[in-house]
Amino acid sequence: MAIYNPASLKAEEFINHEEIEATLAYAEANKNNVELIDRILEKARPVRNEKGCTCAGLTHREASVLLACEIPEKIARMYEIAEEIKLAFYGNRIVLFAPLYLSNYCVNGCVYCPYHAKNRHIPRKKLTQEEVRAEVIALQDMGHKRLAIEAGEDPKNNPIEYILECIHTIYGVHHKNGDIRRVNVNIAATTVENYRKLKEAGIGTYILFQETYHKKSYEQLHPTGPKHDYDYHTEAMDRAMEGGIDDVGLGVLFGLEMYKYEFAGLLMHAEHLEAVHGVGPHTISVPRVKRADDIDPDMFDNGIDDETFTKIAACIRLAVPYTGMIISTRESEQVRQRMLQVGISQVSGASRTSVGGYTEKERPTDTEQFDVSDQRTLDEVVSWLMDSGHIPSFCTACYRAGRTGDRFMSLCKSGQIQNCCHPNALMTLAEYLEDYASPETKEKGYAMIARELDNIPSENVRRVAEENIQAIRSSNRRDFRF
Ligand code: SAM
């Protein structure tokens, strides 16, 4: 039997089945232990000091107790603290991005994904570089600055050279005032050497969803192809770090396995990254299984309702306070609205989950990876965010200024975010308003910018931000950042 060790590099030791089972039993035994729950909630609260604000975070055991607790007023308290943490470290900014599907060729057999190799009727497509350029122009014309590229796993059709070429093409497109300034990458687990190549190509975050932390289920859900290897998949982030990528994004595909098991596994993975590399995950995504081509989510027994989903997000927020949290257009406007209040810091907007989808007028469904619930335009999403007091941010400054890994986390902890991320959000919002927004959104946006400039603590930073925004409005000068 493997012994639990967060600092180990072996999957079965840092995601240890026995430790997860013991955690679930501990959580179940303590779910009504009000004294313990109050102590855990107190530990999770942000504490302000002369250097800014700090948060202790929670261990996977502590957070699992909160997740198991069903006492309404304690759950309400979790939500309040989650929002406090979000405001303390990420303010009222929400970063926007879009996925870009490069290829749906895939040799794996993932039973929840319509791109699985046995799906013979789904049209297979792989973008040429000309098509990548056309997709990027369409994305830039909407106002996007940050992409997450997606591809199936197929060494023949989508080798690493193809992915690298696409990244190069994407960064090279400058249409009107458009620019893609950060390319995050969501491709299958690969070698240290390939991660090094991705790092050299200038990627932002390397994202890889674990899908499920339950090894036995994992092997059944991935019956064929290289992704079947649980250990290789689970140890991928360590190889990515070894290859020099220090911003990695975790995620679980909720609905496949029991959520409490996944939640404990996810936090153990975050603790492992902290223990081995000194920095936790840059982001955590919370996708749920959706309907798609030959996939019916009801095939899986572990679907979770919206309330449980919200509680999971809030508990993640409490446990890993400095990690960005992402919600995609898999979720409806209503669910996304609720999730924004409990800690989400990034959302996708106007996504097309099909290969070549952005250049098609009608939403193409034939190669979609999953049904998109939120089908609003980017302008509508930007306007909606502002209506609920959030600043839509197109900022990509940190990674371009070398603030990755623990350097980003230090900025986050220092409280200087308000003098850095806040003005960057306002300046990139001004770019969006000037170049892409509808007249109503533009008016709403500039009113928000005028109000929010007052929330920049440093007088000097505020003055420079004002001058830059003026330059954006009166000229074609772009891409200012702190
Ligand atoms: N092929 C790469 C891999 O295996 O990691 C890239 C990932 S795939 C393009 C992106 C993610 O979509 C998957 O990791 C999975 O979690 C998610 N996904 C697949 N099928 C889905 C479905 N039916 N509903 C929701 N999300 C799905």
Side-chain angles (χ1 to χ4, degrees), residues 101 106 108 110 112-115 150-153 186-189 206-209 211 227 233 252-253 287-292 295 330 369-371:
Y101 281 75
C106 194
N108 286 315
C110 316
Y112 48 83
C113 178
Y115 294 170
E150 313 272 341
E153 178 167 16
N186 182 9
I187 60 165
Y206 171 64
I207 301 162
L208 181 69
F209 298 160
E211 322 299 5
K227 195 164 168 179
H233 188 81
V252 155
L253 187 53
R288 284 195 284 191
V289 184
K290 289 281 162 185
R291 191 168 299 284
I295 308 297
R330 287 178 183 83
Q369 198 198 13
F370 51 81
D371 278 2

Side-chain angles (χ1 to χ4, degrees), residues 192-193 195-197 199 238-245:
V192 174
E193 195 191 328
Y195 287 126
R196 197 162 286 128
K197 290 178 183 167
K199 173 73 186 173
D238 298 301
R239 291 195 301 281
M241 292 269 191
E242 199 185 328
I245 299 174

Side-chain angles (χ1 to χ4, degrees), residues 14-35:
F14 66 83
I15 305 294
N16 180 259
H17 177 69
E18 287 71 30
E19 172 58 21
I20 298 184
E21 297 271 283
T23 298
L24 300 189
Y26 174 78
E28 190 58 28
N30 284 290
K31 66 178 189 184
N32 292 314
N33 182 343
V34 174
E35 208 182 303

